[in-house]
Amino acid sequence: MKSPGNLTVLGKIVRPLMWIGGLALVICLVSTMAYLYSAQTSPSGKRVIKGLGDSVVITFDDADIPHIKANSPTDAVFALGYLHASERSWQLEMNRRLASGRLSEILGNDTVSIDRFIRTLGIKRAAERQFDRYPVAAKRLLQAYADGVNTGNAHLGWALPVEYFLTGSKPGHWSPTDSVAWMLMMAYDLGGNWQKELQRLELSQFLTTKQVWEITPPYDAGEPVSNLDFAKIYQDLKVFNPKPGPAEDKSKKLPSTELTSIPLPGGKDGVGSNNWVLSGKLTTSGKPLLANDPHLGLSAPAIWYFAHLNAPGLDVIGATLPGIPAVVLGRTDKLAWSFTNTGPDVQDLYIEQIDPSNPGMYRGPDGYLPFKVHQEIIDIKGSPSLNFLVKETRHGPVISDSYARAKRSIDTSRFALALRWTALDLENQSVVGLLDINRAKDLDTLKEALHKNYAPMQNVVMADLEGNIAYQAAGVAPKRVLHQGLYGVAPALGWDKQYDWNGYVPFNQLPSSNNPEQGWIATANQKIIAVNDPNPLTGDWEMPTRYDRIVQLIKARNSHDANDMKTMQADTLSLGATPLLSLFKASQSSHKLAPQALEISKTFDGDMKVDSAGALIFNAWADQLTRNLFSRLGYLFTENYGSRHFRNSLFLALQNPASPWCDNPKTNAVESCSDASNNAFDQALDYLSSQYGNDPKSWAWGKAHIAISEHRPLSKVPLLGEYFNIKTPFPGDGFSINVGRPELLKSSNPYETIQAPSLRTIYDFSDLEKSLFIYQTGQSGWVQSKLYRNMNPLWAKSEYLPLQMKPENTKRQLELTIK
């Protein structure tokens, strides 16, 4: 028993500690309250601004869309930059640092590999060279936007978005070339053909060319665009790393969003978009209907920010990209336009042979040439700076020094891999094209502006109040001739002139259409060939499942209205699933849950509804079946399964019930595809019961298929990630119109999705003020704001908000004044 004296001593120690703890708690609470009070999460009132030509009035409607009323286009884009900084400051900072290869300055060693690769590509250097060639008028607009961003960041004061405090950083200076660099990053995200080439190179070390085509099938099965035996070429040259193996692991702390991880953006199957337009002959109003839903990575906040810009010669509303001073997807009061990714092959890898007697030289067509070399220095938070050399050949930057998979694939003592990419060309002025699109008065001037779009090439579907509908593929792509050379499907030999590019496809030869007789136009990343040119723009189109379903739904009715457009965008029937249903339903299993699961499976029709147990069982079965057939490829499967869905490969293999791919190499027996299916069903039930319980009737696709808008870079940080990420059950799969591509082996939950409709828009030309939009987060980038995630429930249920130039209500007003 303690004496009273001991208790007195203890009290003397404890009481001060309690006071200190209480005082610390009070300070913490006061600081938090002061921060929440000071943080300008919904700017309003009057701000005095230096650098404006005249005052700008910004009103915010019920959907929180800002309507910028300015007396000049430069003041309008200044105000847009100001809003981007006010609402999305951290997002802008991450965009700027990513495109410049400067993430590691605030995030440390985890992002060094990203920075090194971006520096190797030379994104910021290319942007600076391209900007030098921009017209003076465009330079002024980009400078005005940059001034707006920097002013907006300065006006945030001390109460910055919390991400800055967590990383110990502050907003950096935004320059006009940062906008050009961010456009290049968007082009990179939408142009990953080189990674498919790299995959074919990797497979060629272990497989024949015929087998490689079975793993990476051509768009038209059995009809590859190149007839060359590329695997034999590589094997004869002994280009491969004599000790291949898995590439280095990426940090588990980083999100796997489209622009912040290694593997880098681009190169993912199913990353694309839908758009379609109906002429008045197919609508109840007699006026066109235009729909668009781009499928990009889900991030929090979203990559989009909606705004309305109004100034003399400028009146446009729609989706902007923080970092770029223009409406990228949207409408005026007379016309509207929409994008999907054309997906041309604008990136080629070249195997460069190093001079054995001088590693500073590489083999050219007429002898050895010196590498162009320059030094890069990456400053790393908490570590010494990294100094390294970037080499370039006549084709472009050498990526095998900085990209782990490329370095792993070849014998780097004898060869290097260089990347040729259109977007890095000096002539690229895509941001100028966007600025011109925003000022288009009619479809003719819109099409004229599209001539300036360089990269990424886009399928532009458009319409106007006169009732016209049109399509134009806009961008540059190298000329290729079917069945000549490698056609860009696999790395070419850098010293052989026959593989060099021979100019670009002229704009007037790109696919286009004006008021087609059928009364509709649709694109969904499917194969597109110009009438006057039989040579496709790539050998690696996306599967046509979404396009085919869009066409089915258009043809299912003689007349459509806006509600039908909503229904189409929400459609979740998967034509990537329906060809497998007969095998799926014929599966046999001795699993204890098999009777219930098989009964549910009998009625499954391929519709990936959020509450469907059949959809969950099917996807788990298809997943396990794919793993059964292709996991024998080892790390070449596990590293790719996720960025590649292998569904085409599965279709091809299952055409032969006795396909050798269905045989399990680990057993003495010879298994058929039916045996592989049965085994996959058993494995699926094992997995599902372990994750979702032993009652198949309670299973639902939405319990597994969670759409996650990931925050950069906090999404994988315990506790913080849950606060900053936005999650919701979601329907669809990687092949439905309402797409939700599962992550598969890229995640601990293989069926979660971070690739889905990044926005949806519908333009009704019977009254353009009836136009609609939605995306998956909210307008605000401040995590504590209710506008950070307010759209998410609507988006998940395919509901919409009005996209109006003349809204009835105003929630708040912000005036930027010169005095």
Side-chain angles (χ1 to χ4, degrees), residues 63-278:
D64 205 56
I65 294 177
H67 298 260
I68 299 170
K69 178 69 173 177
N71 290 325
S72 71
T74 52
D75 284 349
V77 297
F78 179 101
L80 180 63
Y82 187 93
L83 285 175
H84 281 167
S86 301
E87 304 268 28
R88 302 286 187 88
S89 177
W90 177 254
Q91 184 178 36
L92 278 171
E93 182 67 5
M94 288 296 289
N95 292 354
R96 181 183 70 85
R97 288 187 174 277
L98 175 60
S100 301
R102 297 180 59 188
L103 291 170
S104 303
E105 293 175 1
I106 62 171
L107 300 179
N109 282 297
D110 284 333
T111 53
V112 170
S113 58
I114 304 171
D115 285 344
R116 180 166 181 167
F117 188 77
I118 295 300
R119 297 278 190 99
T120 296
L121 289 182
I123 297 292
K124 189 63 186 293
R125 295 195 310 277
E128 290 167 348
R129 292 193 296 266
Q130 292 168 3
F131 180 75
D132 285 343
R133 294 185 166 212
Y134 271 34
V136 172
K139 286 183 176 180
R140 286 175 180 162
L141 289 171
L142 283 161
Q143 184 63 60
Y145 174 82
D147 292 343
V149 170
N150 294 322
T151 303
N153 274 328
H155 279 205
L156 292 176
W158 73 271
L160 297 169
V162 69
E163 293 95 329
Y164 288 110
F165 296 105
L166 292 171
T167 57
S169 61
K170 293 181 179 180
H173 179 78
W174 190 273
S175 71
T177 56
D178 288 318
S179 294
V180 180
W182 189 241
M183 189 69 184
L184 290 178
M185 289 305 301
M186 295 308 298
Y188 186 85
D189 191 28
L190 294 169
N193 175 266
W194 74 267
Q195 293 183 352
K196 292 185 179 181
E197 293 183 37
L198 180 59
Q199 185 185 14
R200 292 188 177 110
L201 173 67
E202 292 174 314
L203 290 168
S204 294
Q205 183 163 9
F206 309 104
L207 304 176
T208 65
T209 298
K210 178 178 179 296
Q211 291 170 323
V212 172
W213 281 120
E214 291 171 356
I215 299 300
T216 60
Y219 185 85
D220 296 312
E223 297 181 21
V225 292
S226 171
N227 294 326
L228 287 187
D229 189 350
F230 51 82
K232 186 175 187 303
I233 293 173
Y234 304 145
Q235 290 161 6
D236 289 346
L237 285 169
K238 296 182 173 58
V239 303
F240 300 109
N241 185 339
K243 295 181 180 180
E248 63 190 19
D249 291 335
K250 65 176 183 289
S251 169
K252 297 293 190 289
K253 297 180 183 178
L254 289 173
S256 54
T257 56
E258 80 283 10
L259 291 173
T260 55
S261 64
I262 296 288
L264 281 153
K268 291 182 178 180
D269 290 339
V271 178
S273 310
N274 304 318
N275 64 5
W276 62 87
V277 64
L278 309 182

Side-chain angles (χ1 to χ4, degrees), residues 420-441:
R420 175 80 166 93
W421 179 29
T422 58
L424 298 178
D425 292 352
L426 279 174
E427 296 79 9
N428 184 356
Q429 295 194 358
S430 291
V431 177
V432 179
L434 281 177
L435 295 171
D436 287 354
I437 287 172
N438 283 198
R439 294 191 295 268
K441 301 300 182 185

Side-chain angles (χ1 to χ4, degrees), residues 38 112 147 285 298 344 406 469 537 559 579 649 669 691 705 754 771:
S38 302
V112 170
D147 292 343
S285 69
L298 303 180
I469 65 173
L537 293 167
S559 184
S649 317
Q691 297 294 314
H705 196 237
I754 57 171
S771 298

